[in-house]
């Protein structure tokens, strides 16, 4: 059974960089069949897609965040990562990593999700 | 960006009731719509993809229909374990966008 696990600091200061890693278990992130994505959810609010990456490094970002977001992949560790710069209170959210379903495209449903990790932006 | 408008934002129904949620896209998204269930403190769970296809392992009381801009999600007989927030999501175009969610409660 595929498992995804987010890790990283739960508290980030305003104007600093949020960094999270998603570790994938029981499947290879290098599979040509899947994209991998990040989604966030502010407390009590809805879901926002941040961006997605292919094992080759091809990325797609939400234009609303594109200037501050970098998603990268480390196939040797079976991980992909999120960096969000210049954070503010508005970036406080639960951050999820997820897999797009088979098809080798970011235009696919998210069929497996991590449990999510709360990141709070506060001084 | 494609805007996804869900209604209602919340509803209360009795066990055994038929529950219907609608989702409207701001432009034609063909059949490329998903429905997710999110229970409190948990990650979303894919229930339906391509507007009407049931994900493996999902109970048959859940169903979806629609195409173009108007979509419907139905629970044929509400069960206590269905208490959750339900989200639609389009994947016809990037950026991927979600509806605002519908919170389903038991009356």
């Amino acid at each position: 059974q595929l498992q995804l696990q987010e890790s990283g600091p739960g508290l980030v200061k305003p104007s600093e960089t949020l960094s999270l890693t998603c570790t994938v278990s029981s499947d290879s992130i290098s599979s040509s069949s899947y994209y991998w994505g990040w989604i966030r959810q502010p407390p009590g609010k809805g879901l926002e897609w941040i961006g997605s990456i292919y094992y080759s490094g091809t990325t797609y970002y939400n234009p609303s965040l594109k200037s501050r977001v970098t998603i990268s992949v480390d196939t040797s560790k079976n991980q992909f990562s999120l960096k969000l710069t210049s954070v503010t209170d508005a970036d406080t959210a639960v951050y999820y990593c997820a897999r797009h379903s088979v098809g080798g495209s970011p235009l696919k449903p998210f069929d497996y999700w991590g449990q999510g990790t709360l990141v709070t932006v506060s001084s | 960006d494609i805007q996804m408008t869900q209604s209602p934002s919340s509803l209360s129904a009795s066990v055994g009731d038929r529950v219907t949620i609608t989702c409207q896209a701001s432009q034609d998204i063909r059949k490329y719509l998903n429905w997710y269930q999110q229970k409190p403190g948990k990650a979303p769970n894919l229930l339906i993809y391509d507007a009407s296809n049931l994900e493996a392992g999902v109970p048959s009381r859940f169903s979806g229909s629609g195409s173009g801009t108007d979509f419907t999600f139905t629970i044929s007989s509400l069960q206590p374990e269905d208490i959750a927030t339900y989200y639609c999501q389009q994947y016809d175009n990037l950026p991927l966008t979600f509806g605002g969610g519908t919170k389903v409660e038991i009356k």
Side-chain angles (χ1 to χ4, degrees):
Chain A
Q1 176 81 346
L2 180 72
Q3 291 188 330
L4 296 92
Q5 178 68 58
E6 305 88 352
S7 59
L11 182 64
V12 180
K13 290 182 168 56
S15 79
E16 295 190 345
T17 296
L18 178 160
S19 296
L20 295 174
T21 295
C22 182
T23 301
V24 178
S25 305
S26 302
D27 196 9
S28 172
I29 203 169
S30 298
S31 167
S32 61
S33 299
Y34 305 105
Y35 266 75
W36 307 86
W38 288 98
I39 304 99
R40 70 180 183 177
Q41 184 173 37
K45 296 188 178 180
L47 299 158
E48 179 180 33
W49 173 69
I50 299 170
S52 298
I53 191 165
Y54 197 48
Y55 77 98
S56 63
T58 299
T59 52
Y60 294 91
Y61 298 130
N62 192 324
S64 68
L65 297 167
K66 187 174 183 178
S67 64
R68 299 194 291 131
V69 171
T70 302
I71 298 175
S72 58
V73 64
D74 185 337
T75 55
S76 67
K77 295 182 179 178
N78 225 36
Q79 296 175 334
F80 62 106
S81 298
L82 169 70
K83 289 190 187 299
L84 181 66
T85 62
S86 304
V87 297
T88 69
D89 291 352
D91 295 310
T92 292
V94 174
Y95 285 77
Y96 295 100
C97 59
R99 188 188 79 172
H100 291 268
S101 64
V102 65
S105 167
L107 295 175
K108 290 292 182 182
F110 293 108
D111 60 355
Y112 284 91
W113 296 65
Q115 65 185 23
T117 187
L118 174 63
V119 179
T120 301
V121 178
S122 176
S123 54
Chain B
D1 298 6
I2 298 174
Q3 308 302 316
M4 306 301 295
T5 303
Q6 262 184 260
S7 62
S9 57
S10 66
L11 65 90
S12 182
S14 300
V15 172
D17 281 356
R18 184 180 185 86
V19 169
T20 299
I21 299 168
T22 64
C23 183
Q24 186 170 57
S26 61
Q27 65 187 66
D28 185 354
I29 59 169
R30 299 178 285 177
K31 65 176 181 177
Y32 298 114
L33 184 99
N34 303 313
W35 290 97
Y36 297 89
Q37 176 192 64
Q38 186 178 33
K39 296 184 176 181
K42 300 293 186 183
N45 180 46
L46 179 65
L47 300 181
I48 289 170
Y49 63 95
D50 285 355
S52 61
N53 290 325
L54 207 61
E55 180 74 346
V58 173
S60 59
R61 65 180 180 275
F62 297 103
S63 65
S65 64
S67 66
T69 60
D70 295 302
F71 301 85
T72 301
F73 172 80
T74 300
I75 307 173
S76 61
S77 177
L78 186 67
Q79 300 301 304
E81 59 267 32
D82 300 336
I83 299 315
T85 300
Y86 294 85
Y87 292 94
C88 61
Q89 179 232 329
Q90 68 80 21
Y91 57 109
D92 186 55
N93 273 307
L94 297 179
L96 305 174
T97 48
F98 293 83
T102 297
K103 187 174 184 179
V104 175
E105 298 175 320
I106 295 286
K107 191 182 293 183

